[in-house]
């Protein structure tokens, strides 16, 4: 610490007087791990500096968007240039068309895409679209998958497959979630039973293909295969929430990873966010033309946004997509991410700490277990005290991972092998304390 008073604490106290909990998104408050959130003053490459002037190696990267690291020169230039031409018009621009084309070119399951400002908005709109396109109301989601905070998605499982969900937030009326069925991730039997009971009334099934909101849990290939088959068989739309995995795990996103094992695999609707905005408020949802043409102004499903397709945000997203499209980008990113996970595994093994990790592209997760969990209930059996010791041990050593055990981590193109070695060395010290 370069100051005798803790300036993060000073800011946190001030923030709590004017902002509920001192933060504008709950996880930032460090409630799960305790302690004082770090207030960021600036960031560059793989690092950010907090109010005390301490440097942190950043494995959150704004929860995924910063795949190139902070302040990438080409992105910065694009944003500065765009800002000079105006911040927002509420009228169409060529750049929106360019970004739509750039997204569609890389994710062939989509013929058309609509740009919005947040992942929440994209997920909510995708569900409205699915309901409008099918004329049905019910939907399936999975426990531990996060799709933003739209009312109908803030729901936990009811008491059985015949009963629908219960709200997980105050302020969500039970009637609003009565059409949402919550199933266990990777549970084939439940999936079969739910379709047998409700298949003909289902508008859609929404899934995080690699769930990053329960740390890092992959949908198994047999499970994903069956989701696709059952949706097709019953006429429900299959929605891939790739807000986190989109352009993060591969250039073709998580759907391209599954298409390697399931020939011809495609979702019906894809939801994107995070990386496609490169750190600016930008998200999207897209799919086949016949589905997308249900949207206003050509169709009957209403959806709109004052700042949608914002010219500065689209410039940021386009510049980011250009960089990640360069040859070898994902090979390099994957190699570094694997190096990190292997390094952590080695350090844990040496300290005799049960540990397992997994990664895809620039997204990773690890658990203080011997085997990778398959669902939310198992993830949540993590010893939170041990996780918190690990979190604070790393934080004290300048390594910033998510302040909650159910969040994924992210490596950027700006992280060097030296950064990873420093991280592994810090982790080795902390594992010895566990
Ligand atoms: C982050 C996230 C969202 C919500 O996006 P916001 O931009 O925070 O509204 C939705 N789905 C997934 C899978 C996410 O990771």
């Amino acid at each position: 610490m370069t100051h005798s008073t803790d300036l993060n604490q000073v800011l946190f106290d001030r923030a709590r007087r004017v902002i509920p909990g001192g933060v504008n998104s709950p996880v930032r408050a460090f409630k799960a791990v305790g302690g004082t959130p770090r207030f960021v003053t600036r960031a560059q490459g793989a690092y950010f500096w907090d109010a005390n002037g301490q440097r942190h190696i950043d494995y959150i990267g704004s929860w995924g968007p910063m795949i190139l690291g902070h302040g990438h020169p080409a992105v910065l230039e694009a944003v500065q240039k765009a800002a000079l031409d105006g911040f927002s018009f509420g009228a169409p621009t060529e750049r929106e068309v360019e970004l739509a084309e750039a997204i569609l070119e890389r994710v062939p399951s989509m013929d058309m895409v609509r740009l919005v400002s947040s992942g929440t908005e994209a997920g909510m709109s995708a569900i409205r679209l699915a309901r409008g396109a099918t004329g049905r109301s019910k939907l399936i989601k999975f426990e531990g998958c996060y799709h933003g905070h739209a009312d109908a998605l803030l729901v936990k499982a009811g008491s059985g497959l015949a009963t629908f969900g219960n709200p997980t937030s105050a302020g969500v009326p039970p009637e609003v979630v009565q059409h949402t069925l919550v199933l266990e991730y990777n549970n084939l039997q439940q999936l079969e039973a739910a379709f047998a009971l409700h298949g003909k009334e289902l508008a859609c099934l929404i899934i995080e293909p690699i769930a990053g909101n329960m740390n890092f849990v992959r949908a198994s290939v047999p499970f994903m295969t069956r989701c696709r088959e059952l949706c097709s068989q019953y006429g429900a739309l299959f929605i891939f929430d790739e807000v986190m995995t989109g352009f993060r795990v591969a250039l073709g996103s998580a759907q391209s990873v599954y298409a390697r094992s399931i020939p011809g695999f495609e979702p019906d609707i894809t939801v994107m966010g995070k990386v496609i905005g490169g750190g600016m408020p930008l998200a999207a949802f897209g799919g086949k033309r016949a589905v997308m043409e249900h949207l206003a102004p050509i169709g009957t499903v209403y959806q709109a946004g004052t700042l949608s397709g914002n010219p500065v945000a689209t410039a940021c997203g386009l510049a980011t997509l250009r960089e990640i499209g360069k040859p070898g980008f994902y090979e390099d990113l994957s190699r570094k991410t694997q190096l990190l996970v292997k390094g952590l595994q080695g350090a844990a093994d040496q300290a005799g700490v049960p540990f397992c990790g997994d990664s895809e592209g620039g997204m990773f997760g690890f658990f203080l277990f011997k085997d990778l969990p398959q669902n939310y209930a198992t993830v949540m059996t993590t010893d939170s005290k041990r996780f918190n010791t690990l979190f604070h041990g790393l934080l004290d050593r300048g390594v910033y991972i998510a302040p909650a055990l159910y969040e994924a981590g992210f490596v950027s193109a700006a992280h060097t092998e030296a950064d990873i070695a420093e991280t592994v060395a810090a982790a080795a010290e902390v594992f010895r304390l566990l």
Side-chain angles (χ1 to χ4, degrees), residues 118-121 146-148 208 213 241 243-244 274:
S118 74
T120 292
E121 206 187 338
Y146 178 66
H147 306 293
E208 272 188 85
N213 290 286
D241 183 347
V243 172
M244 189 181 290
K274 299 192 168 113

Side-chain angles (χ1 to χ4, degrees), residues 78-128:
V79 168
Q80 286 171 331
K81 257 182 84 184
L84 289 175
D85 289 334
F87 294 173
S88 185
F89 316 120
T93 65
E94 184 178 358
R95 210 172 290 130
E96 294 166 88
V97 185
E98 273 185 85
L99 180 60
E101 287 167 350
I103 294 169
L104 300 181
E105 189 185 305
R106 291 165 170 87
V107 187
S109 72
M110 294 191 270
D111 299 328
M112 300 181 105
V113 65
R114 170 68 52 92
L115 303 180
V116 296
S117 302
S118 74
T120 292
E121 206 187 338
M124 177 189 81
S125 305
I127 283 173
R128 186 181 306 140

Side-chain angles (χ1 to χ4, degrees), residues 17 31 116:
R17 284 195 286 274
K31 203 173 162 197
V116 296

Side-chain angles (χ1 to χ4, degrees), residues 78-356:
V79 168
Q80 286 171 331
K81 257 182 84 184
L84 289 175
D85 289 334
F87 294 173
S88 185
F89 316 120
T93 65
E94 184 178 358
R95 210 172 290 130
E96 294 166 88
V97 185
E98 273 185 85
L99 180 60
E101 287 167 350
I103 294 169
L104 300 181
E105 189 185 305
R106 291 165 170 87
V107 187
S109 72
M110 294 191 270
D111 299 328
M112 300 181 105
V113 65
R114 170 68 52 92
L115 303 180
V116 296
S117 302
S118 74
T120 292
E121 206 187 338
M124 177 189 81
S125 305
I127 283 173
R128 186 181 306 140
L129 173 62
R131 285 171 161 168
T134 58
R136 302 173 178 182
S137 300
K138 295 194 191 319
L139 68 97
I140 286 177
K141 83 171 283 287
F142 297 98
E143 191 181 19
C145 289
Y146 178 66
H147 306 293
H149 61 89
D151 282 356
L153 298 169
L154 291 179
V155 53
K156 61 174 186 270
S159 53
L161 283 184
T163 57
F164 280 68
N166 299 313
T168 54
S169 166
V172 176
E175 304 80 52
V176 174
V177 297
Q178 69 180 349
H179 299 298
T180 310
L181 186 60
V182 183
L183 305 182
E184 188 175 69
Y185 200 69
N186 279 327
N187 186 329
L188 267 169
Q189 271 165 319
Q190 268 195 15
L191 182 75
E192 299 281 355
F195 269 91
L197 268 174
H198 307 290
K200 292 199 177 105
E201 300 153 275
L202 282 170
C204 59
L205 175 153
I206 185 166
I207 191 168
E208 272 188 85
I210 300 171
N213 290 286
M214 48 173 150
N215 196 324
F216 186 106
V217 182
R218 294 172 191 266
S220 74
V221 168
F223 187 71
M224 193 62 92
T225 305
R226 210 53 199 133
C227 285
R228 176 64 277 180
E229 287 169 355
L230 287 166
C231 282
S232 299
Q233 185 184 333
Y234 286 92
L237 295 173
F238 191 17
I239 306 181
F240 247 42
D241 183 347
E242 297 229 42
V243 172
M244 189 181 290
T245 53
F247 300 115
R248 168 49 73 177
V249 300
L251 189 59
S253 303
Q255 49 200 270
S256 71
V257 175
Y258 282 92
R260 277 184 227 143
S261 315
I262 313 168
F265 179 85
E266 281 188 343
D268 297 308
I269 298 176
T270 300
V271 185
M272 294 223 164
K274 299 192 168 113
V275 169
I276 62 164
M280 291 275 178
L282 200 156
F285 61 104
K288 293 285 173 244
R289 187 172 305 276
V291 174
M292 293 302 286
E293 285 186 343
H294 284 274
L295 281 178
I298 41 179
T300 51
V301 177
Y302 190 70
Q303 191 279 328
T306 301
L307 298 177
S308 292
N310 176 271
V312 184
T314 46
C316 188
L318 256 179
T320 302
L321 291 195
R322 268 190 211 115
E323 293 300 316
I324 65 180
K326 291 184 175 168
F329 180 87
Y330 285 92
E331 285 79 358
D332 191 47
L333 187 65
S334 302
R335 191 183 50 76
K336 283 191 288 193
T337 311
Q338 286 165 9
L339 198 64
L340 173 69
V341 174
K342 269 196 204 131
L344 294 174
Q345 181 77 60
D349 289 350
Q350 261 195 346
V353 172
F355 183 96
C356 60

